Amino acid sequence: MKKRVLFLLIFLLPIFLEAQDKIYFAGIGSSYLIPTGSLKSRFSPAGGVNLFFGYKSSENWEWFGKIEYLNFNKENRERLKIRRNVNIAGREVTRNFNLPKLETDLKIYGASANANSKIIDLNFFKSDLTFGFGIYRWESSRSGYFDTLRVDTLGVTYDAVILKVPALKQLDWSGGFNVGLNLSTKIIDPIWFEVNANYKAVVGELWATLDLDLENISVFQMYEIRLGLKARF
């Protein structure tokens, strides 16, 4: 008799668990970040990671907290140039100069409150409008630049621009927000695979450096494509 009861419990347990409304979830994701606006003038696409935990509050809404790390550590060499009028053999001409020695980065650490609003909810596929607001700690550094930029014309080299620019570091706190679309599909219960595309903005300010033709950046704008795994329980 005991064996039969045990067998029945083992048989019914998966069905019972499947029937429960799994209101909690947690997951991890990685991001591909595409800078836009003025941020694109300094950085190339970058990467990030995030962790999140949340719950389903109603049929149409989910709420979750997220911590994330974004790291822009690759310069946009196509944009990092200076434009100068120089005198060559008594004639003034305009030339563009590369800045190969310039190093700059931007690291962003954040915590945000987010929500998913249901669009489609099937047993194996879900889609949501997602949005959130958060606070971010960011740090930026720019190397000093001490160099003489030269022009070679008809075998004659001219000292065109002499740069003496000290290094710069910034640390600050800023608010930010994101809005986008989230798609998720069940791999095997309780694991889901997620694809998220959103627009993200952090209201921070990178100061201008006029000697390097670096303009002020007042908002860190980017598009984020995030891939992740979520467990529902």
Side-chain angles (χ1 to χ4, degrees), residues 120-200:
I120 299 173
D121 188 359
L122 303 176
N123 184 51
F124 62 94
F125 175 80
K126 301 177 185 291
S127 68
D128 303 280
L129 175 66
T130 183
F131 57 90
F133 301 88
I135 185 167
Y136 298 87
R137 173 69 170 176
W138 57 269
E139 55 185 70
S140 171
S141 65
R142 175 186 54 71
S143 65
Y145 212 97
F146 300 88
D147 199 8
T148 300
L149 307 182
R150 298 179 171 86
V151 176
D152 192 323
T153 302
L154 299 177
V156 179
T157 300
Y158 298 88
D159 290 348
V161 182
I162 299 176
L163 294 174
K164 297 180 179 180
V165 183
L168 175 66
K169 289 189 176 182
Q170 291 181 250
L171 296 170
D172 209 345
W173 292 91
S174 298
F177 68 92
N178 62 271
V179 59
L181 181 67
N182 189 71
L183 305 176
S184 57
T185 184
K186 185 188 295 184
I187 300 176
I188 182 171
D189 194 61
I191 306 300
W192 292 67
F193 174 71
E194 287 195 333
V195 178
N196 180 285
N198 68 81
Y199 167 80
K200 184 189 296 289

Side-chain angles (χ1 to χ4, degrees), residues 23-31 49-55 62-68 114 116 182 184 190-194 226-233:
I23 64 171
Y24 296 102
F25 58 88
I28 185 172
S30 62
S31 299
V49 294
N50 57 81
L51 298 168
F52 58 92
F53 177 84
Y55 72 101
E62 292 179 340
W63 300 89
F64 62 98
K66 180 170 63 176
I67 57 174
E68 56 190 317
N114 300 265
N116 288 334
N182 189 71
S184 57
I191 306 300
W192 292 67
F193 174 71
E194 287 195 333
R226 185 176 63 84
L227 305 179
L229 293 175
K230 174 192 289 185
R232 294 183 176 274
F233 52 92

